[in-house]
């Protein structure tokens, strides 16, 4: 396993490793040392899953010692990817020694070149929604070679794209302009890198299910002329560990379903004004809240960014975490009634599998498409309306929370009914296990071929 050095990528690769190990397969997981510290407790089969740490070289422009995407603003990812590329020799040496049957990778487009030398099959494993690959990362997208792609070009889906609902509207396409920006050495763009990683693999795998994204998966298969295997969402059955004691006892102090929990994943640093506006929105909603956000841009800490007098005003009813929280365990807590999140692909599945009402504030391109899947296709969530300038106001956030938390409101009740239905059908262990069993069979079939 060789995922991109970001939590939202490494975690699902490890969940998949656990499922493969459960079925008796041996896995070597390549990752930076710092990521090991964050991930190792999620390894449920240490006798079968071995972590192999890589030395991450320094790249000019990155803070010294940077190894993972969660340590840097997203604007520096194009430098971290150079560091990843420069681990190529270490990766090649490991592959040559281990000689696995398969390598699963996502960002390292060069993997097929080195794997072929040792007769190893390559699977490009996409851990974001199939819709986001289908809308921007296919040959039909025609990204110009001599200039940046425009917002207008990106607003139109590529020819043959299978949905009119899961599309980018208004200014949303802006968040995907980065696909034609440099991402790695040698003038390579994000689009070049990702499409090459997909094109040169032996097969494509996607962390999704046909029941939600079948048409997008078929479209990707046709675009690349390749087999597309699905792993399902690959969520751990149970949240591991125990909720941190202080937080647990704070949550115990509230009645069931009354607390609003908010987390925006590992990559988002808001602007300070937006950060403050969101906090004021939680206060305005009148519900107790637990917020886990990173310090906004330009601030060293969360404390320094709080609105004036905020901590005193919300004492006892509002907690603003100073760092990473145990999202899965919090989502299991009965006091939590609503989950406000960014709809990263991990959080999308985790919120769908929870029994909490879902309020979405997407930021990045794939998060906007995930949001369309939950809001427009499945009808299990609401999205907070943004102003014309892209701003989320405290009034709109509070309105969306109230809509979801008010037991008498028709919209909230409808969303809840849909959510229960989807959770039951998608969350059944038969469905999840069926996906993994078929995936293993798919791998064995390619192993036999050629
Ligand atoms: O405080 C936290 C925040 C997050 N988490 C966990 O970290 C994971 C975050 O994954 P997400 O995919 O939701 O979000 P990230 O922002 O980290 O992901 C990244 O890769 C996946 C893409 O869809 C996202 O657009 C990209 O930002 C989840 O499993 C969540 O449970 C915590 O355990 N604690």
């Amino acid at each position: 396993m060789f995922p991109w050095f970001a939590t939202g990528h490494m975690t699902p690769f490890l969940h998949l490793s656990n499922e493969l190990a459960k079925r008796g397969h041996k896995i070597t997981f390549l990752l930076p040392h710092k990521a090991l510290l964050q991930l190792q407790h999620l390894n449920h089969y240490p006798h079968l899953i071995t972590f192999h740490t890589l030395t991450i070289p320094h790249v000019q422009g990155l803070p010294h010692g940077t190894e993972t995407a969660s340590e840097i603003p997203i604007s520096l990812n194009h430098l971290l990817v150079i560091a990843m590329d420069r681990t190529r020799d270490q990766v090649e040496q490991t592959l040559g020694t281990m000689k696995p049957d398969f390598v699963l990778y996502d960002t390292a487009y060069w993997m097929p070149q080195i794997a072929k030398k040792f007769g190893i099959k390559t699977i490009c494993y996409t851990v974001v929604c199939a819709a986001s690959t289908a809308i921007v990362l296919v040959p039909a997208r025609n990204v110009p070679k001599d200039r940046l792609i425009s917002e207008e070009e990106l607003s139109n889906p590529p020819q043959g794209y299978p949905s009119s609902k899961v599309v980018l509207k208004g200014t949303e396409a802006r968040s995907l302009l980065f696909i034609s920006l440099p991402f790695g050495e040698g003038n390579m763009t994000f689009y070049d890198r990702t499409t090459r990683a997909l094109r040169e693999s032996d097969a494509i795998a996607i962390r999704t299910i046909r029941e939600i994204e079948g048409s997008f998966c078929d479209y990707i298969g046709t675009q690349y002329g390749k087999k597309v295997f699905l792993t399902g969402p690959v969520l751990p059955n149970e949240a591991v560990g125990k909720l941190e004691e202080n937080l647990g006892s704070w949550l115990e102090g509230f009645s069931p379903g009354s607390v609003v929990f908010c987390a925006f994943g590992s990559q988002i640093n808001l602007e300070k004004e937006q950060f403050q506006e969101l906090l004021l929105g939680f206060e305005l909603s009148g519900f107790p809240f637990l917020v886990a956000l990173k310090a906004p841009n330009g601030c060293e800490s969360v404390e320094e960014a709080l609105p004036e007098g905020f901590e005193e005003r919300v004492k006892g009813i509002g907690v603003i975490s100073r760092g990473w929280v145990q999202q899965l365990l919090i989502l299991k807590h009965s006091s939590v009634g609503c989950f406000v999140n960014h709809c990263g692909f991990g959080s999308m599945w985790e919120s769908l599998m929870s029994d909490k009402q879902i309020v979405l504030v997407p930021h990045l391109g794939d998060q906007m498409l995930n949001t369309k899947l939950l809001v427009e296709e499945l009808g299990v969530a609401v999205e907070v309306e943004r102003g014309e300038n892209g701003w989320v106001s405290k009034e709109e956030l509070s309105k969306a929370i109230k809509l979801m938390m008010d037991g008498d409101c028709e919209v909230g009740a409808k969303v809840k009914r849909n959510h229960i239905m989807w959770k039951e059908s998608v969350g059944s262990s038969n469905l999840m296990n069926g996906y993994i069993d078929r995936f293993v069979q798919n791998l064995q079939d390619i192993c036999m071929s050629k």
Side-chain angles (χ1 to χ4, degrees), residues 154-184:
L154 268 176
S155 305
N156 297 316
Q159 197 171 16
Y161 181 76
S163 173
S164 55
K165 283 189 195 163
V166 185
V167 290
L168 298 164
K169 295 180 186 140
T171 55
E172 288 175 343
R174 199 170 294 164
S175 64
L176 284 169
L177 287 173
F178 74 89
I179 65 159
S180 68
L181 291 175
F183 201 68

Side-chain angles (χ1 to χ4, degrees), residues 8-9 128 265-267 324-325 327 342 344-347 350 364 366-367 370:
H9 292 238
V128 294
S266 59
Q267 299 213 311
W324 197 250
V325 294
Q327 180 164 306
H342 65 314
F345 207 40
S347 298
E350 289 165 18
L364 308 178
D366 77 303
Q367 298 163 5
N370 298 336

Side-chain angles (χ1 to χ4, degrees), residues 205-217:
I206 310 180
R207 180 197 183 193
T208 192
I209 56 174
R210 288 205 77 77
E211 289 76 353
I212 298 181
E213 292 206 284
S215 60
F216 302 106
C217 299

Side-chain angles (χ1 to χ4, degrees), residues 123-142:
I123 309 290
C124 188
Y125 183 37
T126 298
V127 296
V128 294
C129 66
S132 66
T133 302
I135 204 163
V136 277
L137 298 171
V138 288
R141 172 44 82 189
N142 280 332

